[in-house]
Each structure stands twice: as structure tokens, then as C-alpha cells.
Amino acid sequence: MLDACVLFPTVQREVLIGAAQAGFFRPVWTARILEEWARAVRKLGPGAEDVARGEIALLRAAFPGAEVPEAPHVEQRLYLPDENDLHVLAAAIACGADAIVTVNAADFPRGTLAAEGLDRRDPDGLLWDFASRAPQAMTAVLETVRAKAEALSGQPQPLKPLLKRARLNRLARLLA
């Protein structure tokens, strides 16, 4: 289950989605998670939400089975430090996800997730694991992301600084 906080940063999202397209994992999310992402980018300025909604449409087309329904019947029995995250945990349980990928560790205590048969993974650690097991495949994913960032910015985008700006420090150290 991809939390909205890992979909918001562009490079981080692109690497995660690239890893999913390469077959490293099957992503899942809810319509509410995607909506949280679209609303969060408003702070970036005019037009940012429209761009995010376009990206969301592309994700839905690329992964037609990834969007799972919310599970309010499961949510009612759960507790998390931030009740606004209950929908993420409930949907992960209901769809049989293995883990929640998030940077909000405090909002998803490992013990609570373990009791539900879930793990909490930060995107950097998850991607580091993939790259450790299949460095050539992840290098191809990263090169695609780097080339796209370079094309969009019109500037050279060396991989290590690009990954560090995306808070993928372990991955940057492993592959650099």
C-alpha cells in the first residue's frame, strides 16, 4: 500500500512506480490516497494540482488493478496515533497488502501493523532492498527516471544528487 506521502515527491514516486513496472512489487492505493496527493500539491502553486491529476490518470491506466476500495468496516476496529491514517491501514488489511510504504513512521507503529500481518517500509529502504537483489534491473529503472528528470528540467541530472534530493540516500550510496 503506497501512502500519499510517497506519491507526492516526483522523483520518489517515479522510482517506486518504475520498480513496480519492473515487477519488483504490486502497488495498491485507494482513491482517497490519490486525492490526498492531488490536494497536497496545491501548495506548489497554480497548475500543480492539474499536473498531479494527470499523473494520477496515467497511474490508474498503467495499474488498473491497483486501486482498492476503502474499508470502513475494518477501520472501525483500528487505532493509530493519527486517526486520519486509519483509512490507509484499513484498506491495506482488507486488500491483503504485505506492507505500507510511508515516510510517516510515527503514524504507523510497527507493533500495530505486525498485529495485522503488515510491515512498514520506508521508500528508501524498500528500493535499497530491490537494488541489492537486482542491481541491473534497478539501475535501468533509475536511468529512466534520471533521463526523464533531465528532459523535463533541461539540465543535467547526475543520479546521486537526484536521489539525495528525493531523500533516497541509501539507494544513492548503493548505486553511486
Side-chain angles (χ1 to χ4, degrees):
M1 176 71 62
L2 298 179
D3 194 7
C5 62
V6 302
L7 294 171
F8 176 76
T10 303
V11 172
Q12 190 174 88
R13 176 183 67 252
E14 292 286 332
V15 177
L16 283 166
I17 296 305
Q21 289 171 324
F24 284 100
F25 74 105
R26 185 180 72 85
V28 291
W29 50 69
T30 65
R32 183 172 171 184
I33 288 169
L34 297 178
E35 184 61 25
E36 284 180 10
W37 164 29
R39 285 192 316 252
V41 300
R42 288 179 185 161
K43 66 182 177 184
L44 298 178
E49 183 177 353
D50 293 336
V51 171
R53 292 197 183 280
E55 292 286 333
I56 288 167
L58 291 172
L59 277 181
R60 284 177 164 147
F63 297 95
E67 194 164 316
V68 298
E70 289 190 46
H73 60 288
V74 176
E75 191 175 327
Q76 294 171 350
R77 68 173 178 80
L78 300 172
Y79 170 81
L80 286 174
D82 183 349
E83 67 182 32
N84 291 321
D85 289 319
L86 287 172
H87 69 99
V88 177
L89 176 56
I93 293 166
C95 78
D98 295 327
I100 296 174
V101 182
T102 185
V103 295
N104 295 328
D107 293 344
F108 293 96
R110 285 200 190 276
T112 301
L113 271 59
E116 299 294 343
L118 290 162
D119 192 12
R120 181 189 73 227
R121 298 300 307 266
D122 69 278
D124 192 24
L126 179 67
L127 294 165
W128 183 90
D129 283 347
F130 296 156
S132 296
R133 289 193 306 243
Q136 289 179 324
M138 275 304 293
T139 297
V141 167
L142 293 169
E143 177 52 30
T144 300
V145 172
R146 189 206 60 74
K148 185 175 180 180
E150 199 166 272
L152 289 171
S153 71
Q155 302 290 322
Q157 296 292 330
L159 186 57
K160 189 173 181 178
L162 181 68
L163 294 175
K164 285 187 169 205
R165 285 191 306 274
R167 295 186 187 170
L168 299 174
N169 296 317
R170 290 180 67 199
L171 184 61
R173 282 192 303 273
L174 178 67
L175 297 175

